[in-house]
Amino acid sequence: MTFTGRVLGWLVMASTAIGAAAVMLMMLQIVADVLLKNLFEFPLPATTIFVAHYYMVVVAYLPVALAEKLNSHITVEILAQHFARRYRVWLTAVMWLASAVVAGAIAHRLWLEAMKKYDFGTFMIEQDVTFMIWPGYFVLPLGFGLFALVLLYRFACAVTGAASGLGEVVDDVDGQRVHQQAE
Amino acid sequence: MENEVIGLLGIASLVLLLLLRMPIGIALILVSFCGIWVLVGQRPAWGILSAVPYDFAAKWTLSSVPMFLLMGYVCYHTGLTKGLFDACRSWLARLPGGLAIASVFGSAGFAAVTGSSVACAAAMGRIAIPEMLDKRYDPALATGTIAAAGTLGALIPPSILLILYGVFVEVPISKLFIGGVGAGLLTAAAYIAVILGRASFNPSLAPRLTVMPPLVERLQHLRETWPILLLVVAVLGGLFVGLFTATEAGAVGAGASMLIALAKGSLTRKALWQSLVETLATTGTLFVIAVGANLLTRFLALSGTAELIAGSVIGLEADVLVLILGISLLYLLLGMFLDPLGAMLLTLPVLLPILEKAQVDLIWFGVFLVKFLEIGMITPPIGINVFVIKGVVGNQVSLTTIFRGILWFLAADLVVVGLLVAFPEIITFLPSQME
């Protein structure tokens, strides 16, 4: 169980590293575009395509699992905080499972969509240059799939009582969302 | 079953799932998908679910969200804004409640580089609260000031809430941003008035410092703030005169803050990594909810429920003022329990048709809405800024004390809200000057 958690933690870490690279590249390309546009009236070609169809997709959906690992997905605490701890733990576990099923179904569907785009070879054209944009579609099922796995793992840990190998920081069950940083 | 009933049932099940602590984004997606399935069938439902997430995120406008987040987190983790507080403190030290006033100024300055009030409260809290407690300020005043002043983070541009509002409602983000300036400055002025008044009437709350730092030291502090002031002027100025789009302003701001931090030697690998990780985690959280809200809008439109609710509300033939009062009450209540982002995206699909029918100015409403959501950040029982401050002070100050300190600022907020309704020009004047 701990081993599975470690592998998952490693996958989340890898997705975070890719996401971090995308954020940096996005920033650098936009800054370069602004500078070139204003200084030499020569905008970087296809910046909008790169930003919208490559970087943004990675930055928006690859870290969905990271957000789950850091407990930063937003939940409503009005009712649940009044439950006895035992029921709260039980409720949290059920919600993890339900969310895992939903995230898994979304991932499956987005995978089919990505395969369709791959088969079509979906592309965009700017100034007579063709840019393949189908690879971006695969980021979505990967992000949601990893999210589903993390949720499922949490459910499994809660049911079996095994210690989590993900290396979380805060006990989410107590229902207080504290601003926290990654370790 | 009539379509509108399906829509209402959808809203009811959404509320139930949220109460059972399902993450907001997942609950929104699940309910909207099932609703669309029941209304128009399985194939269109899967079709919408497959298309919306990609089409929603692959947009130039929304890329300003991670860029402004990055700028704020870099400034926060590299301590770039500490100089602002030092400068304000050394110049305002002798005023009644000088340190607290300085931290309101500091927060307003930090708000101009960050789009989130949590970051603003955390940053200023770490710097200013220990200093105030050390100078024997009343703990309620010290912590309450920072929790309240943190809300300037989302009002004074940049603002993540305003970007998302702009994308959903389809109004220009630059106009929303400049509209936020008026409301933000008015809020800051009101908070300063509260501190001045309280510290003058009861000097024991904030013992006055007798020694003013020498002029050389004060000028030195002022000199240290120029890079951050330049950053703010360049980024926001460029946005308002039309030199940059919001995304470009965010990227240039993030890049420039990294350069400044590098020059100051505070851009450590750890600081950079933490800034990137927090940018990613916040973006990830936000997009799942935003996609869910987008699906909910489609579901409610298909079912005709949004129209039904809008029609019924308008059918009451109530005055616009009564409508605004009703909406304010709704957000005051939601804000007590919900995260601002969730509260905004959950309600916009239902409220937008009502506002359009009642011809409410959508720029004004965006800023007004954010002001209310930010009030929700400091009202019990779930005041996120208060929890952040609690995290900073640990066992030194109790939650109740912090909430007690906030009461005066809440009263000031209600006055501000009243002024924003009575004189909408406070928000709309600057945007109306932009073309």
Side-chain angles (χ1 to χ4, degrees):
Chain A
M1 210 59 188
T2 325
F3 176 72
T4 320
R6 267 202 223 117
V7 173
L8 267 181
W10 185 82
L11 284 175
V12 173
M13 192 53 155
S15 72
T16 310
I18 298 172
V23 175
M24 285 301 284
L25 285 173
M26 174 150 93
M27 182 194 84
L28 292 173
Q29 182 160 354
I30 297 171
V31 170
D33 179 58
V34 170
L35 287 177
L36 289 173
K37 200 162 51 185
N38 287 300
L39 296 178
F40 306 104
E41 292 181 1
F42 175 76
L44 265 187
T47 298
T48 6
I49 292 186
F50 271 89
V51 168
H53 295 277
Y54 295 137
Y55 306 137
M56 262 316 273
V57 191
V58 173
V59 172
Y61 295 113
L62 213 49
V64 180
L66 168 76
E68 175 59 31
K69 186 183 165 232
L70 297 178
N71 291 319
S72 59
H73 282 293
I74 300 164
T75 54
V76 178
E77 311 289 352
I78 318 169
L79 189 68
Q81 61 184 351
H82 300 296
F83 291 179
R85 191 183 157 82
R86 197 159 61 93
Y87 293 113
R88 230 162 48 207
V89 174
W90 184 83
L91 181 65
T92 308
V94 172
M95 280 302 141
W96 275 331
L97 180 64
S99 306
V101 172
V102 177
I106 299 172
H108 175 243
R109 199 63 212 183
L110 292 172
W111 177 262
L112 297 180
E113 181 74 7
M115 286 307 288
K116 224 191 294 177
K117 299 290 175 188
Y118 168 72
D119 288 338
F120 289 156
T122 307
F123 62 90
M124 282 186 120
I125 297 178
E126 195 185 292
Q127 291 169 346
D128 294 335
V129 185
T130 308
F131 293 91
M132 287 297 164
I133 58 163
W134 61 261
Y137 283 86
F138 282 93
V139 174
L140 280 75
L142 290 178
F144 276 98
L146 193 55
F147 180 35
L149 288 178
V150 171
L151 285 163
L152 205 60
Y153 177 73
R154 289 200 149 166
F155 169 73
C157 285
V159 171
T160 57
S164 167
L166 278 173
E168 293 101 327
V169 200
V170 173
D171 179 7
D172 194 29
V173 173
D174 279 334
Q176 250 197 22
R177 231 163 52 81
V178 179
H179 182 71
Q180 54 182 316
Q181 293 149 12
E183 55 299 25
Chain B
M1 196 162 26
E2 287 197 28
N3 286 354
E4 289 87 350
V5 179
I6 299 175
L8 291 174
L9 280 178
I11 295 178
S13 17
L14 177 65
V15 172
L16 181 71
L17 286 175
L18 292 179
L19 287 177
L20 293 175
R21 278 186 94 236
M22 182 173 264
I24 295 182
I26 294 287
L28 278 167
I29 295 176
L30 177 63
V31 167
S32 312
F33 170 74
C34 294
I36 295 173
W37 182 331
V38 175
L39 284 173
V40 290
Q42 181 186 353
R43 274 177 69 92
W46 283 118
I48 290 175
L49 185 68
S50 319
V52 167
Y54 187 90
D55 294 343
F56 182 76
K59 272 201 202 97
W60 173 259
T61 351
L62 273 177
S63 53
S64 56
V65 171
M67 292 295 97
F68 277 121
L69 282 173
L70 181 64
M71 174 180 171
Y73 284 128
V74 168
C75 288
Y76 171 60
H77 285 294
T78 58
L80 276 193
T81 35
K82 187 178 182 308
L84 273 178
F85 175 69
D86 289 339
C88 299
R89 184 191 55 179
S90 62
W91 286 87
L92 303 170
R94 292 190 62 185
L95 286 175
L99 282 177
I101 294 175
S103 43
V104 174
F105 272 101
S107 300
F110 191 70
V113 294
T114 186
S116 111
S117 68
V118 166
C120 198
M124 219 31 75
R126 280 199 317 198
I127 305 167
I129 293 178
E131 175 93 25
M132 283 194 265
L133 294 181
D134 189 52
K135 297 287 185 300
R136 293 191 294 117
Y137 267 53
D138 174 50
L141 176 69
T143 50
T145 302
I146 305 292
T151 65
L152 295 173
L155 269 177
I156 294 179
S159 162
I160 302 301
L161 285 171
L162 283 177
I163 296 176
L164 283 169
Y165 175 85
V167 169
F168 261 83
V169 178
E170 294 175 345
V171 289
I173 291 163
S174 52
K175 287 196 171 185
L176 285 169
F177 272 14
I178 202 156
V181 173
L185 293 182
L186 179 66
T187 305
Y191 289 168
I192 290 171
V194 165
I195 299 167
L196 267 177
R198 292 195 67 203
S200 305
F201 277 110
N202 185 358
S204 68
L205 286 176
R208 261 165 105 157
L209 305 180
T210 41
V211 254
M212 188 85 169
L215 188 66
V216 189
E217 193 185 315
R218 278 184 282 160
L219 287 175
Q220 167 71 23
H221 279 310
L222 207 56
R223 248 203 317 275
E224 279 172 18
T225 59
W226 76 262
I228 205 82
L229 293 180
L230 186 72
L231 177 74
V232 170
V233 171
V235 168
L236 297 180
L239 180 66
F240 295 141
V241 300
L243 185 65
F244 302 141
T245 63
T247 301
E248 290 169 344
V252 169
S257 45
M258 281 184 199
L259 282 181
I260 297 173
L262 193 68
K264 288 192 159 204
S266 58
L267 188 72
T268 57
R269 261 178 37 198
K270 189 178 169 210
L272 181 62
W273 177 247
Q274 278 188 339
S275 309
L276 288 168
V277 167
E278 282 175 36
T279 301
L280 288 169
T282 314
T283 315
T285 314
L286 204 144
F287 269 85
V288 179
I289 299 182
V291 164
N294 189 302
L295 287 170
L296 182 70
T297 311
R298 286 159 196 263
F299 166 46
L300 293 183
L302 278 174
S303 67
T305 313
E307 279 291 304
L308 175 78
I309 299 177
S312 329
V313 173
I314 298 298
L316 297 174
E317 286 181 15
D319 195 51
V320 177
L321 198 65
V322 178
L323 177 71
I324 294 297
L325 212 68
I327 292 177
S328 310
L329 205 64
L330 169 78
Y331 278 110
L332 209 57
L333 283 173
L334 283 179
M336 289 170 123
F337 301 102
L338 286 185
D339 177 275
L341 185 80
M344 179 171 93
L345 293 179
L346 275 173
T347 48
L348 272 186
V350 180
L351 277 185
L352 196 56
I354 303 179
L355 295 167
E356 278 169 345
K357 275 211 166 99
Q359 293 175 328
V360 174
D361 180 343
L362 291 177
I363 300 274
W364 174 83
F365 184 75
V367 177
F368 180 74
L369 168 64
V370 169
K371 175 71 201 161
F372 259 104
L373 294 173
E374 288 305 308
I375 292 178
M377 297 288 278
I378 51 172
T379 42
I382 316 277
I384 299 172
N385 272 14
V386 177
F387 295 152
V388 170
I389 299 299
K390 178 70 183 156
V392 173
V393 293
N395 290 330
Q396 271 179 297
V397 185
S398 74
L399 263 184
T400 332
T401 309
I402 308 179
F403 275 123
R404 192 159 51 82
I406 281 169
L407 281 178
W408 289 92
F409 295 103
L410 271 180
D413 272 335
L414 292 182
V415 174
V416 169
V417 166
L419 287 173
L420 294 180
V421 175
F423 307 102
E425 297 80 15
I426 298 171
I427 294 171
T428 55
F429 175 72
L430 285 176
S432 70
Q433 301 300 306
M434 273 174 88
E435 266 334 309

